[in-house]
Structure formats: structure tokens, C-alpha cells
Amino acid sequence: MTALRLALTELRRIGASRVGRLALVAMVLVPSIYGGLYLYANDDPYGRLSEVPAALVVEDEGTTLTGGERLQVGDEVASTLLEKHTFDWARVDRDRADSGLRDGDYDLVLVLPRDFSSDLASSATNHPRQARLEIRTNDANNYLARTIANTLVSQVTASVAEQVSSTAASRFLEGFADIHAQVVDAADGARRLADGATKAASGAGGLADGADTLVDGQQQLASGADDLASGAGDLADGLGTLRSSTADLPAQTRQLADGARQVADGNEQVAAAGQRVAGAADALLGDLTQTRGRLADDLRAAGFSEDEVQTVLARVDTLSGPVTNANAEVQSTSADLDRLASGADRVADGAEQLASAAPALGSGIAQAADGSARLSSGADRLAAGQHDALDGARRLASGAHDLDDGLGDLSAGATKLSDGLATGADSIPDPSADQRRATAETIGSPVAVDRDAEAAAGSYGAGLAPFFMSLALWIGGFVLFTRMRALSGRALAAGQPAWRVSLGGWLGPALLGAAQAVVAFGVVALGVGIEVSHPVLLGLWMVFVSAAFLAVIHLLMARFGVVGQFLALVLMVLQLVSAGGTFPWQTLPGPLLPLHHVLPMSYAVDGVRRLMYGGPTAQLGLDVAVVGAWGVGALLLAALAARRAGTWTAARVKPELVA
């Protein structure tokens, strides 16, 4: 009897009755029912989140920005959520949300607190605060609602952060524009400052030269002030001496005036006497002349001859000569006496005037002495002040030179500042309004994601399909061996070769497993609607995997009998937790990692993924090798188990566990 006939015999045995045939059909449909219904139920759960009841509480009071704009982020977020209809949102107050969460009316509550907008706006101040969202869930209603809500809040947070970042970036760029304009103005001002500093430096040079000249002049003035002080001292001393020397001048001039008046009076009397003498002399001379004439007449009358008369007159003329001379002297002296009297009178008048002016002269000399003393004191102060002025002029000259040097440095620094500000102005961005808007949007959302996948699952259900399809094949094989015998006892009793009995015990379930795989593939691809990149290859792969799984289960049943069912169940659990069907296998705990690398379901899941999603298939060779090795190894070991089963023992005749 061939292995195929053994397999067909076992199939006829099971399908001999109507119930048996229904059982065969049911067993063929087990993987489809398990995998298909599960994937159908979880094909796109995120697409139906709009049916999940959720409460939205908006307490945000908004805020007013420094520019006068009104910021009301809470209402904007609420409007966005209601428009997108991510959940079945109900906008309610906090009390209704709390009671609804407790009673199970809502699976989650999202609260935007009253200071939400003001906290967001604080990012533009010196005291920024982090805005907060309140998310409340009740795991008694639904555990996954919390996970989904956290994802939602992350999206809301990212959206709000993008908006706030864009606003802040826009203001930041506007500040750059203002800074650029101000730096340009500052550069112009610095340039004017440099020009002014250059002119000031030139003026400071002239000031320094003038200060040096002033020092020279002050030195001369100081020297002159010293001379003035010395001369004023000498003048004061001389006037003091003159004052003391002329102290008796008024009295003396009075005495002089009185004596001069007496002299004048005496001279006047002398002149009067002289005038009288002169008159007498004139009269005498006239009398003498008259007498000479009368004498001549008398002599002529007496009969003297003319010669005699002349002789006598000659003798008389000899006598009248001295008289005439004396008269001339007297007249001359009288005239001198008149002049003397007149001069003495003028001298007396002058002496009187001098005597009258002497007190004023003495007072003037005293005043001049006092003034010269004050002049001397002032000259001393002037000399001291001039020396102070000289010191000040020297300090002014020193400061002027320092100012000249400092203004030179200022001019150089201002020029450097102007050049630096001009260079800095060129370095500061000066974007236009459109550029600021585009840059703000880029800063607010700096990263755009270009999604390009080597292979992509179309939905959540497609993502789970490789794992659950592989698990369904194992479950289907497990169910088959609940009704089918791993080894034919009749064949063993008839002495059939162990390998033939083993192969025949596997071949029947393998044929039904192939049917299970084909039906399950059709349900997933056509019924659930999951897109498959390589349908033919995936169908063949599922048949191949089913055959390998059945070989493993067949080995356990052939070697351990009823206990093999339990071991197959335990092996299914181990593969379920280590295959990496839902999360990346790298996230498994350390003790489970060796199981992932050894057990066949890990490679079955990997093969389904690559054939279902598309992409590189180089790894598929390893999957075929590992799954095939498990299948072939299991068949070889099952043949050994069949050989062992050919030996009858007491335990086999009366086993402790009966199927």
C-alpha cells in the first residue's frame, strides 16, 4: 500500500458519514474563519475612529498680543478637530465631560485650559510658559482609547507648535528686518560720527596748537604780571614816601602864600615910592631945564654975551647931566619896581592858589597812595592768578593734546565701527514680506517627509495579515490532527514500512492543509480586500508553510500521541510571542530572541510579508530554507517515530491518555 493510498484511506474514513464530511469542510475553513474574520474586523480601525465618542472641553479665554492682535488658539483647535471629525466629538463643559467619562458616554476627554492661548503667547516674552493640554481617559471603558488619544494629542501639539513657531518665526524675521534697518541707520550715524570725529580731531589739533600758544602768552603775561606787581609795589612805596613828605605841604604853602602876599604888598609900596621919586626926578629935571632957560634969559638980559651965556649954559649942562642920568636910572628903577610889584602880586596870587590847592593835592596824593597800595595788592593777586592761569593753560594744553590723540582714536574707531556696521548690515537678513512668510512657514515646519517605502502595507489589517495568516495555518493544522490519525495502526500492524506509514499519515492532512491555505488566501485577498503584490507566489508559499507546519504537528502527534496536541499548542504559543508579527522582533525580551531565530513561524511571517507587500525578495531564500528544513526534519523524525510505534508495548496497548 502506497503512502497516497494510506492518506486517501484516512480521508475516506473521516468523510464516511455526513457529519464527518461536514467536519472536513469545517476543518478546511478554520484558518479562513480565524484569519479572515480577524483581519476583516481589524482591517482599518483607525479609519472608523470617527465613531468613537469623545468630549472636547474648551476653557481657553484667549489673549491679546503686544501688537493688538487677538489670539484664540483654543477655538481654532476645536474647530479643526470638529472639521476633521477624527472622533465623534461633543463640545461640552467640564462637568458634563467628567460625568460622561465616568458613565462610559465618552472614551476620552480633551481639555484646553483657560490659559492655553496666553501660555502659547508667552513664548515671545522673557518669561515663557509651556502650554498644556489635558487628556483624560477611563481604561474601564477602553484601554486602547488612551493610546489613540495620546497619538491625537501629539498631532494637536505638533499642529499648534507649528502655528506658534510660524508666528514666532514671523515676528523674529520682522525683528531682523527692523534690526537691519536700524543697523543701516547706525552705520550711517557711525559714518557721520567718523566724519565729525575726523573734523573734531583736526580741530583738536588746532586747539592743541592754540593751547600751546596760550601757554606761551600766559607765560609772558605771568612775567608781565610779576613786573606789574613789582612796579606797583615800588609805586606804592614811592607814593607812601611822597604822602609822608607832603604831609606839611598845605601849611607850608599857606605860609608861602602869606609871605608872598606880604612881599607883594611891600613891593607895591616900594614901587609907589619909586614912582614918587621918579616923579620928583622928572620934576627936578623939568625944573632944571626951566631954570637953564631962565638963566639964559637972565644972562642975556644982564647983558652977557651969547658966548658967555653958552659958556654958562655949558657949565649948567655939565651939572644937569648927572641929574638927567639919575632921572633915567630913577625912571628905570621905578619901572622895575612896578614890574617887581606886579610880579610879586602874581607870585602872591599863585602862592595863594598853591596854598588853596595844596590840601586837595595832599588828599590826591593820599588817595593815590591808597590806590597804589590797592593796585599793588591787586597786582600781587593778578600775578598769582596769572600763574594759576598759566598752570591751567598748561593743563589745557596737555588736555588738548590728549583730546587730539583721543579724537584721533575716536575717528579711527568710528571709521572701523562704520565699516563693521556696514558689513554687519549686509550680513543681517532683510527679507521681503513674502520671503518672511515662506521662511516662517519653513521654520514652523522645518521638515517635510517624503514617504517612500520599499514595500508598504495598505492598511492596519494588511499589516497584521502576515502574522495572523501564518498563525491561522498552524491552528488549521492543529485542528486537522484533532480528527485525523498521525499514524495508521492497521498499516503498522500489517508491517508497512515506517516511512510509508509516516508519510501517509502526513500526506492526508497536508492535502487538507493545502485546501485550507488556498481558501484562506482567497478570503484574505478577495473577501477582506487586502492587496497582494505576488498572489501566485504567496498562494504557493502558504501551501508550503501549511505543509511544513503539518509536518511538525504530525511529528508531535506521531511521537507523543495525545500529549503531542498539548505540545503543539505550547509550540504555537511560543511562536505567537516570538514571531515578531505585531511589533519588530528586535523589541522582544532577551530570552525570547533565540526562539525568534529558530522557530519556523518567524520565517513564515517574513515570507508572507515579502510576497504580500512586494519589495526585495533576497531574504525569501532563507525563509524557504528554514521552513523547509523544519518540514523535512519533522518528516524524517516522524518516520523514526513510526518505526518506534511499530513495536507494541504495554503502554501502547493501554495508554494513560486516550484521544
Side-chain angles (χ1 to χ4, degrees), residues 563-594:
V563 177
Q565 290 183 343
F566 174 74
L567 294 177
L569 184 61
V570 171
L571 186 57
M572 180 189 72
V573 173
L574 291 176
Q575 295 185 103
L576 186 149
V577 298
S578 66
T582 53
F583 291 96
W585 63 265
Q586 291 86 351
T587 62
L588 292 172
L592 295 180
L593 287 174

Side-chain angles (χ1 to χ4, degrees), residues 140-453:
N141 297 332
N142 192 315
Y143 169 73
L144 287 180
R146 179 169 60 177
T147 302
I148 298 171
N150 289 335
T151 302
L152 170 68
V153 170
S154 297
Q155 294 174 354
V156 172
T157 302
S159 176
V160 173
E162 178 180 346
Q163 178 182 357
V164 172
S165 299
S166 297
T167 302
S170 179
R171 293 180 182 172
F172 183 68
L173 292 173
E174 289 176 0
F176 261 136
D178 294 339
I179 291 173
H180 182 275
Q182 293 172 2
V183 170
V184 170
D185 293 341
D188 292 338
R191 189 174 299 107
R192 291 193 295 272
L193 174 63
D195 294 340
T198 301
K199 294 178 181 177
S202 176
L207 175 63
D209 295 339
D212 292 336
T213 303
L214 176 63
V215 169
D216 294 338
Q218 288 292 338
Q219 288 178 337
Q220 295 175 1
L221 287 175
S223 177
D226 291 338
D227 294 341
L228 175 63
S230 176
D234 294 342
L235 176 63
D237 293 340
L239 286 175
T241 302
L242 178 63
R243 180 179 185 179
S244 61
S245 300
T246 58
D248 297 333
L249 180 63
Q252 293 173 348
T253 55
R254 174 48 56 192
Q255 291 178 355
L256 176 63
D258 293 341
R261 178 53 59 190
Q262 292 175 359
V263 170
D265 292 341
N267 287 333
E268 187 176 357
Q269 292 176 1
V270 171
Q275 289 176 354
R276 287 194 298 274
V277 171
D282 283 337
L284 177 60
L285 184 58
D287 290 341
L288 184 56
T289 300
Q290 291 176 1
T291 300
R292 178 179 183 275
R294 282 192 306 272
L295 179 57
D297 292 336
D298 289 339
L299 290 175
R300 285 185 187 102
F304 285 89
S305 63
E306 191 62 34
D307 291 331
E308 290 176 342
V309 172
Q310 291 299 324
T311 299
V312 173
L313 289 175
R315 297 293 290 218
V316 173
D317 290 336
T318 301
L319 292 175
S320 64
V323 175
T324 301
N325 292 334
N327 181 51
E329 289 293 333
V330 169
Q331 293 300 326
S332 175
T333 299
S334 177
D336 291 338
L337 288 175
D338 289 338
R339 287 194 295 273
L340 177 61
S342 176
D345 187 60
R346 287 196 299 272
V347 170
D349 291 340
E352 182 66 28
Q353 292 176 354
L354 177 62
S356 298
L361 176 62
S363 177
I365 292 173
Q367 291 177 355
D370 294 338
S372 65
R374 290 193 297 272
L375 174 63
S376 177
S377 176
D380 290 336
R381 291 194 299 272
L382 174 62
Q386 191 59 44
H387 283 288
D388 293 338
L390 177 59
D391 293 338
R394 286 171 177 164
R395 291 193 297 272
L396 174 63
S398 176
H401 285 289
D402 292 339
L403 176 63
D404 185 22
D405 295 338
L407 285 176
D409 295 338
L410 174 62
S411 177
T415 301
K416 182 181 292 185
L417 174 63
S418 175
D419 295 340
L421 287 173
T423 303
D426 295 335
S427 302
I428 296 174
D430 185 23
S432 64
D434 293 337
Q435 290 173 331
R436 289 198 299 270
R437 189 179 305 107
T439 304
E441 292 174 356
T442 302
I443 294 176
S445 181
V447 178
V449 179
D450 293 331
R451 302 184 184 275
D452 183 15

Side-chain angles (χ1 to χ4, degrees), residues 382-581:
L382 174 62
Q386 191 59 44
H387 283 288
D388 293 338
L390 177 59
D391 293 338
R394 286 171 177 164
R395 291 193 297 272
L396 174 63
S398 176
H401 285 289
D402 292 339
L403 176 63
D404 185 22
D405 295 338
L407 285 176
D409 295 338
L410 174 62
S411 177
T415 301
K416 182 181 292 185
L417 174 63
S418 175
D419 295 340
L421 287 173
T423 303
D426 295 335
S427 302
I428 296 174
D430 185 23
S432 64
D434 293 337
Q435 290 173 331
R436 289 198 299 270
R437 189 179 305 107
T439 304
E441 292 174 356
T442 302
I443 294 176
S445 181
V447 178
V449 179
D450 293 331
R451 302 184 184 275
D452 183 15
E454 291 271 346
S459 64
Y460 180 77
L464 295 177
F467 175 65
F468 282 98
M469 290 175 68
S470 301
L471 183 61
L473 293 177
W474 185 276
I475 294 174
F478 179 83
V479 170
L480 286 175
F481 277 104
T482 61
R483 299 298 302 167
M484 301 183 72
R485 294 178 300 187
L487 299 174
S488 172
R490 181 179 299 180
L492 290 173
Q496 293 288 332
W499 67 268
R500 186 179 297 169
V501 176
S502 173
L503 185 59
W506 167 79
L507 189 56
L511 294 175
L512 292 178
Q516 287 178 335
V518 172
V519 173
F521 171 75
V523 170
V524 171
L526 302 177
V528 180
I530 295 177
E531 185 177 352
V532 179
S533 296
H534 306 287
V536 175
L537 292 178
L538 180 57
L540 294 175
W541 174 250
M542 290 182 65
V543 171
F544 179 73
V545 170
S546 175
F549 284 176
L550 284 168
V552 175
I553 299 172
H554 172 259
L555 167 64
L556 295 175
M557 296 296 295
R559 175 65 182 83
F560 300 105
V562 177
V563 177
Q565 290 183 343
F566 174 74
L567 294 177
L569 184 61
V570 171
L571 186 57
M572 180 189 72
V573 173
L574 291 176
Q575 295 185 103
L576 186 149
V577 298
S578 66

